[in-house]
C-alpha cells in the first residue's frame, strides 16, 4: 500500500489566554491518501481550523509532527515551510479572499508567478483551470462582477494552480445557497478525483460530507471517525 501523502503524528496545539492554557489538539493522529476526500465534521469551537492550519503548515505543532510526502515538516524553518506551502499545499476558505483589483484569470496566475512561472505559461494554465471549472467566459471579470458560486470556483482554481499534493478547505460552500453549494462541490470533487489530489474538507453540510470517502470529527483534541448515526 502506498504511503499516505500527509500524516499527523501525535500533534498537540495549545493556546494561552491570560492565566488559562487551552488545549485544542491533544495527540491528534490522522492520515490522508492521494486521491482521497475526507470530510471533517465537528461543531464550531472544537478546533477544525486549528487542525487545518497545523496540517497545512500555517501553524507549528507544539508537539508531534506533520509528515508531508514523507518529509517531517514540524521543525523546519519558516522559509522551508513557506516553500512547501507554495508548492505542495492548497487552501480554500469560506470567503473567497480573491484580490479585488485583479481579474479571475490574474488571481489564478498570481501564485504561479510567485512560484516563478512566466506570464505566458501561468496565463495558459489559469485559462485551462477556468475552463475546467466551467467559467472560462468570466476570465476577465473582477471578483465583484462574479456570483458567489463563480467566486468560489475561481478560489478553488487558484488553490490548485501550482498542482499541490494536498488541498485543505474550510467550509468552502458555507456562504452559498444549497443548489450553488452542490454545484461548487461537484466541481471540487471532479478536480480532486481526476488530479489525484488529497483533500481534507471541513463542512457543516452533511449531504456533502456523505459524498466523501471518509468522515472524521474532533473529540477531546483527537481525530476520530464520525459515527454514521451523526450524519
Amino acid at each position: 500500500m502506498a504511503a499516505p501523502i500527509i500524516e499527523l503524528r501525535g500533534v498537540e496545539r495549545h493556546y494561552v489566554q491570560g492565566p488559562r492554557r487551552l488545549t485544542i489538539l491533544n495527540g491528534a493522529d490522522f492520515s490522508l491518501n492521494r486521491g482521497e476526500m475526507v470530510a471533517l465534521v465537528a461543531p464550531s469551537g472544537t478546533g477544525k481550523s486549528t487542525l487545518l492550519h497545523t496540517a497545512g503548515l500555517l501553524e507549528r505543532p507544539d508537539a508531534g509532527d506533520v509528515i508531508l510526502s514523507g518529509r517531517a515538516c514540524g521543525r523546519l524553518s519558516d522559509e522551508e515551510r513557506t516553500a512547501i506551502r507554495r508548492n505542495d499545499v492548497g487552501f480554500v476558505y469560506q470567503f473567497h479572499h480573491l484580490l479585488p483589483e485583479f481579474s479571475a484569470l490574474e488571481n489564478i496566475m498570481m501564485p504561479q508567478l510567485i512560484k516563478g512561472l512566466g506570464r505566458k505559461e501561468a496565463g495558459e494554465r489559469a485559462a485551462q483551470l477556468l475552463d475546467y471549472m466551467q467559467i472560462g467566459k468570466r476570465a476577465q471579470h473582477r471578483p465583484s462582477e462574479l456570483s458567489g458560486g463563480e467566486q468560489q470556483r475561481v478560489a478553488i482554481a487558484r488553490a490548485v494552480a501550482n498542482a499541490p499534493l494536498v488541498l485543505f478547505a474550510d467550509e468552502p460552500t458555507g456562504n452559498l445557497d444549497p443548489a450553488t453549494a452542490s454545484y461548487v462541490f461537484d466541481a471540487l470533487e471532479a478536480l480532486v478525483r481526476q488530479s489525484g489530489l488529497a483533500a481534507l474538507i471541513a463542512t457543516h453540510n452533511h449531504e456533502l460530507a456523505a459524498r466523501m470517502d471518509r468522515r472524521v470529527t474532533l473529540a477531546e483534541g483527537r481525530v476520530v471517525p464520525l459515527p454514521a448515526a451523526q450524519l
Side-chain angles (χ1 to χ4, degrees):
M1 180 181 293
I5 197 66
I6 189 167
E7 289 183 87
L8 274 63
R9 298 179 182 172
V11 167
E12 296 184 11
R13 195 74 180 92
H14 312 284
Y15 299 101
V16 176
Q17 291 186 346
R20 300 175 60 204
R21 183 173 183 263
L22 302 177
T23 296
I24 307 300
L25 300 178
N26 187 20
D29 297 312
F30 177 70
S31 64
L32 190 62
N33 298 314
R34 190 180 301 274
E36 185 180 34
M37 294 185 76
V38 176
L40 174 59
V41 184
S44 298
T46 55
K48 294 194 303 296
S49 294
T50 297
L51 177 67
L52 293 172
H53 290 170
T54 305
L57 308 185
L58 288 171
E59 298 183 21
R60 290 183 182 275
D62 295 304
D65 211 342
V66 178
I67 315 297
L68 179 60
S69 192
R71 185 181 187 186
C73 299
R75 302 294 174 261
L76 296 177
S77 69
D78 289 341
E79 291 79 9
E80 290 172 312
R81 289 160 62 86
T82 297
I84 292 172
R85 286 197 307 271
R86 181 171 59 240
N87 296 326
D88 297 332
V89 180
F91 285 94
V92 180
Y93 295 96
Q94 183 171 348
F95 185 70
H96 57 79
H97 294 296
L98 298 173
L99 299 173
E101 65 271 31
F102 294 103
S103 69
L105 186 80
E106 291 167 334
N107 267 279
I108 301 170
M109 290 174 61
M110 202 67 65
Q112 300 177 78
L113 296 174
I114 292 171
K115 186 178 180 179
L117 268 67
R119 290 192 64 85
K120 183 176 185 294
E121 185 178 355
E124 289 174 350
R125 174 154 174 80
Q128 289 171 355
L129 284 167
L130 284 170
D131 285 340
Y132 185 87
M133 301 300 284
Q134 299 182 12
I135 47 173
K137 294 181 179 179
R138 310 289 277 168
Q140 300 305 323
H141 290 71
R142 294 187 179 185
S144 62
E145 300 170 313
L146 303 175
S147 69
E150 290 170 339
Q151 290 168 346
Q152 279 302 80
R153 279 181 279 167
V154 174
I156 291 167
R158 181 182 60 181
V160 302
N162 285 337
L165 299 174
V166 60
L167 177 70
F168 298 102
D170 195 354
E171 297 289 347
T173 62
N175 282 334
L176 306 175
D177 63 80
T180 304
S182 180
Y183 189 74
V184 168
F185 185 81
D186 287 345
L188 175 57
E189 183 178 23
L191 190 64
V192 170
R193 302 300 187 195
Q194 295 184 27
S195 67
L197 261 173
L200 178 61
I201 301 173
T203 181
H204 283 109
N205 187 320
H206 290 278
E207 287 187 15
L208 298 185
R211 293 169 55 179
M212 299 189 218
D213 300 307
R214 286 190 287 135
R215 292 150 295 279
V216 298
T217 189
L218 286 164
E220 298 181 352
R222 294 173 182 262
V223 182
V224 299
L226 182 69
Q230 293 186 27
L231 276 176

